[in-house]
Amino acid sequence: MTVAARPDRVFITGASSGIGAALAREYAARGATLGLLGRRADALAALRAALPDPERHHCYAVDVCDHAALAGAAQDFLRACGGADIVIASAGISHGTLTERLDDLPVFESVFATNVNAMVATFAPFVAPMKAQGTPCRLVAIGSVAGIRGMRGAGAYCASKAAVHSYAESLRLELKSTAIRVVTIAPGYIDTPMTRNNRFPMPFLMPAGRFAASAADAIARGDSYRVLPWQMGVAAKLLRALPNPLFDLVFSRAPQKQRKEAA
């Protein structure tokens, strides 16, 4: 089952920057009407102004961890557009964490609140309306190759993305008898403001625009799971296959992501 090459109504969280903004530009170029949700009203307004037919798009300056406000934005978009064809939960944060540091516990909680709980809150208002539409629809979970195996110093981020993958798989089974397809996109290293903070080599770094075009094609096909770029998909399969002793030997001294220092 595929959706049209020019989907009508696409709701994207995390649209203020990075992958979310790249997806917004890609779908706008394909003729979609967008719901753009992010925390920064100024960034959303600037993005909207740069898109084709900006008056067609809707902006929502909302923190995805505010579930009531998120649901309100979803309801407004559904009313304004008469439904939704694609919902992309792209909002996410990443910080290095160490379990031995008690001051990192709030960071763990924040990462899970944004990367996992907010994804559930994003999809929830759309499921019943999409079922009622009876037309091909997509719920899209933005995961990460970081969710495939745990990396030292990145326990919160890796665990949150592993949870995203498992959650999306469960949701896919729940909705299998409907016209809604659940698509998991697992990016590798994509050139965004988030990855530019990394202080280690990033193999197969992919431009955000090229990622968005490939992701939109996978979403249109209804792929259940897609790693981008494809080279990282090969690397991901190798990572899964590594026995624990060999994995530990190879990655125990890998560079760590920078921790978020306490304010």
Side-chain angles (χ1 to χ4, degrees):
M1 184 187 296
T2 61
V3 295
R6 293 168 62 87
D8 290 330
R9 302 157 297 187
V10 183
F11 187 87
I12 305 171
T13 69
S16 300
S17 65
I19 283 175
L23 287 165
R25 288 188 286 269
E26 178 64 26
Y27 276 107
R30 296 185 182 206
T33 296
L34 304 179
L36 305 171
L37 186 142
R39 287 179 297 176
R40 294 181 293 144
D42 56 342
L44 291 176
L47 173 62
R48 177 185 175 183
L51 298 177
D53 301 318
E55 68 284 351
R56 202 172 66 231
H57 310 303
H58 307 264
C59 290
Y60 304 98
V62 169
D63 186 331
V64 290
C65 293
D66 184 342
H67 298 170
L70 178 55
Q75 294 299 332
D76 183 82
F77 183 74
L78 287 164
R79 283 193 299 268
C81 300
D85 302 300
I86 299 173
V87 176
I88 305 175
S90 179
I93 59 174
S94 174
H95 298 293
T97 48
L98 294 172
T99 299
E100 68 186 83
R101 296 291 299 265
L102 290 177
D103 54 337
D104 277 3
L105 181 56
V107 182
F108 269 83
E109 293 169 341
S110 176
V111 169
F112 268 79
T114 301
N115 295 2
V116 184
N117 299 346
M119 180 172 289
V120 181
T122 296
F123 291 156
F126 290 99
V127 173
M130 283 181 160
K131 284 182 176 180
Q133 286 171 209
T135 55
C137 299
R138 304 285 186 259
L139 296 177
V140 183
I142 301 298
S144 171
V145 294
I148 292 166
R149 303 232 33 182
M151 296 293 171
R152 77 187 193 108
Y157 186 68
C158 291
S160 73
K161 290 303 184 178
V164 163
H165 297 175
S166 292
Y167 162 68
E169 190 165 59
S170 296
L171 185 61
R172 189 175 77 238
L173 296 177
E174 291 174 24
L175 298 175
K176 187 167 178 58
S177 63
T178 74
I180 306 170
R181 294 291 177 266
V182 179
V183 177
T184 302
I185 302 292
Y189 292 114
I190 310 301
D191 186 12
T192 66
M194 181 186 291
T195 57
R196 287 172 203 150
N197 291 326
N198 291 341
R199 299 176 178 178
F200 48 80
M202 294 180 285
F204 313 119
L205 183 67
M206 189 178 199
R210 187 146 54 87
F211 164 83
S214 297
D217 290 341
I219 293 165
R221 291 191 302 267
D223 293 355
S224 60
Y225 181 85
R226 180 66 55 186
V227 178
L228 295 171
W230 67 266
Q231 296 95 327
M232 286 302 292
V234 174
K237 289 180 180 178
L238 294 174
L239 277 175
R240 283 197 197 98
L242 280 182
N244 284 350
L246 181 56
F247 175 80
D248 293 353
L249 178 66
V250 173
F251 288 96
S252 61
R253 296 186 179 181
Q256 296 182 203
K257 190 169 186 66
Q258 185 177 10
R259 289 177 59 250
K260 180 181 181 180
E261 297 295 337

